[in-house]
Amino acid sequence: MYSEKVMECFMNPQNVGEIENADGVGTVGNPKCGDIMKIYLQIEDNIIRDAKFKTFGCGAAIATSAMLTKMIKGKSIEEAMGITNKAVAEALDGLPPVKMHCSCLAEEALKAALWNYAEKNGITIEGLTPPVNHHEEDHTGTAEEN
Ligand code: FES
């Protein structure tokens, strides 16, 4: 069901943990499937120097958060903004269709962390909108998929 890359990221995830005094922290989750993702960012001179995550959830959610944090390290905020859940899924050699929604959690957590960073620093990030927890809708009926 899962690609080798997904399994690798799930069994041996990189960037797990938290960053003390992170410049941006974002949490998204869904009480229905119980998955929660938290992303920590260290940002310096507009560049994401470090990224870590904690994910309480399914294997696809863990794999996508590991891959996402790997992808955004060393990228500018603008470049990171361009990383979609689809790009993360592609970097994992795809996700089963019923698990695509799990990759949305990674994109949303990143955006929530960037929003937190922007708020703390009184800046505006182009194209960034306040985090809304629309995962509640996205995840409707996912219990049986777990
Ligand atoms: Fe994978 Fe909800 S994020 S089941």
Side-chain angles (χ1 to χ4, degrees):
M1 177 177 176
Y2 289 118
S3 73
E4 264 174 48
K5 273 194 192 162
V6 173
M7 287 314 285
E8 198 182 298
C9 280
F10 171 58
M11 303 299 268
N12 201 4
Q14 289 174 21
N15 307 321
V16 176
E18 50 187 275
I19 296 174
E20 238 182 275
N21 302 319
D23 299 304
V25 183
T27 309
V28 289
N30 162 44
K32 286 191 189 110
C33 75
D35 291 344
I36 299 168
M37 192 183 291
K38 192 165 183 172
I39 286 188
Y40 301 80
L41 301 175
Q42 187 199 331
I43 301 172
E44 221 180 278
D45 299 330
N46 201 50
I47 303 291
I48 299 173
R49 303 281 178 199
D50 200 7
K52 289 204 187 299
F53 76 92
K54 278 186 182 169
T55 294
F56 304 91
C58 74
I62 291 170
T64 45
S65 22
M67 181 52 87
L68 176 94
T69 49
K70 210 166 128 183
M71 286 166 83
I72 59 173
K73 272 200 214 181
K75 292 230 163 43
S76 69
I77 290 177
E78 291 70 30
E79 284 169 331
M81 279 289 295
I83 297 177
T84 59
N85 71 303
K86 261 181 115 183
V88 178
E90 269 163 29
L92 287 165
D93 289 341
L95 281 171
V98 294
K99 286 287 173 187
M100 266 313 278
H101 70 97
C102 310
S103 63
C104 295
L105 214 52
E107 186 185 329
E108 291 299 321
L110 168 65
K111 301 239 160 102
L114 287 173
W115 180 263
N116 177 244
Y117 171 76
E119 267 200 324
K120 277 191 196 164
N121 291 276
I123 57 166
T124 314
I125 297 173
E126 216 188 301
L128 189 62
T129 47
V132 272
N133 195 3
H134 55 74
H135 285 279
E136 276 178 25
E137 282 147 37
D138 288 351
H139 283 61
T140 305
T142 55
E144 67 272 18
E145 292 167 17
N146 287 320

